[in-house]
Every structure is written in C-alpha cells, then in structure tokens.
Amino acid sequence: MNKWLLSAGFITALISILHIGIVIGGAEWYIFFGAGSEMAKQSEAGMIEPVITTLGIAFILGMVSLFTFFAAKRKGKLSLINFLLYGFAVVMIIRGLVGLPLVYLVAHPYFNELAARPLFMIVSSLFCLSLGSIYLVGLKNRRSRNPYR
C-alpha cells in the first residue's frame, strides 16, 4: 500500500467535505475560505450559483480522492489514473507557486480581495504546494514499484 497516496487521498477527501461545509456554513464561510465577496453576496441572496460551483468542486475533489485510494491500494485498473493524478498534482503545485504572486500582479477585483489577505494566501499556497508534492512522491513511488501501471 502506498502511504503517500493514501495520505493524499485522505487530505483530498477532507477538502471535499470542507467544500460541502462551506455550502452549509454560508456567506461567512465563503469569505473565510477565499471564495470572495461576490460568492458570499450570492449565497446570502439565496442564489444557486455558489452552491453549484462549490458542490461541483467538492464532487471533483471527491472523485480525485477516490481515484487516489484506488491507486494507493493498487487495486483495479482505472483508465488514465496516472494522467489524472499527475494532472491534479501539477495543478496544485502551480496554484502553490503562482497563486501568491498572481494576486499582486494582476489587477482584478477578486485578486484585490485576496491581496488584502496575505496570511490566507501564504497558508493556502503552502498547502497546495505541499499537497501537490505529496501526490508526486506517491506517484513516483507507485511507478518505481511497478513501471507498467
């Protein structure tokens, strides 16, 4: 069993559940977790868009977590699982590396909100960078044990 991928899958599952909690928590949770004031206003107004967006993210993270658990246990063959998990790892690492500079270099209302919260941006960037790295280590360990997977 690949402990790195198992850990990554567990963390990703928790993030998925957190997104469901954001929908339940409402506007204050949207703001706290960096979704921005526009999403919070839409949530307060009872609009469906923030719910669909957030639950869509939760679903995608849940599926990535499920695929990661399959990869960690080496059971079953899922088409393109390595491609999917490497892609997710790369997205997380790019977010971790580019997120902080982006909010200071691009003039956009949402980025301006995030620039006013440097601690959030630093913590979330380090988190994304760490999670992506855990995925890469787990995938490397998986490949080194069985190069045909």
Side-chain angles (χ1 to χ4, degrees):
M1 182 177 330
N2 187 319
K3 293 179 181 177
W4 288 95
L5 285 180
L6 196 60
S7 297
F10 181 70
I11 293 166
T12 306
L14 288 176
I15 298 167
S16 175
I17 293 167
L18 176 64
H19 278 78
I20 295 168
I22 291 169
V23 170
I24 295 167
E28 290 179 7
W29 282 49
Y30 278 102
I31 289 174
F32 180 79
F33 287 103
S37 60
E38 188 61 33
M39 288 276 277
K41 288 176 190 173
Q42 291 176 353
S43 175
E44 280 182 338
M47 296 175 73
I48 195 73
E49 288 86 350
V51 173
I52 291 172
T53 301
T54 309
L55 290 180
I57 293 169
F59 176 77
I60 291 167
L61 291 168
M63 293 305 295
V64 169
S65 177
L66 181 66
F67 294 155
T68 305
F69 289 135
F70 281 126
K73 293 185 177 187
R74 298 174 167 267
K75 291 186 179 178
K77 279 195 169 184
L78 297 176
S79 299
L80 304 173
I81 191 168
N82 281 344
F83 179 76
L84 171 76
L85 296 180
Y86 273 111
F88 184 74
V90 168
V91 167
M92 289 292 101
I93 289 171
I94 289 171
R95 163 54 181 89
L97 293 174
V98 177
L100 191 59
L102 192 65
V103 299
Y104 293 107
L105 296 175
V106 176
H108 185 277
Y110 176 61
F111 290 158
N112 293 341
E113 281 184 52
L114 291 174
R117 299 180 61 203
L119 181 61
F120 171 81
M121 286 305 299
I122 291 168
V123 170
S124 63
S125 294
L126 288 174
F127 181 83
C128 290
L129 188 58
S130 299
L131 181 58
S133 298
I134 292 169
Y135 268 95
L136 286 182
V137 170
L139 289 164
K140 182 181 181 300
N141 286 345
R142 183 172 192 262
R143 278 189 82 70
S144 65
R145 290 186 184 154
N146 186 352
Y148 300 106
R149 278 193 178 236

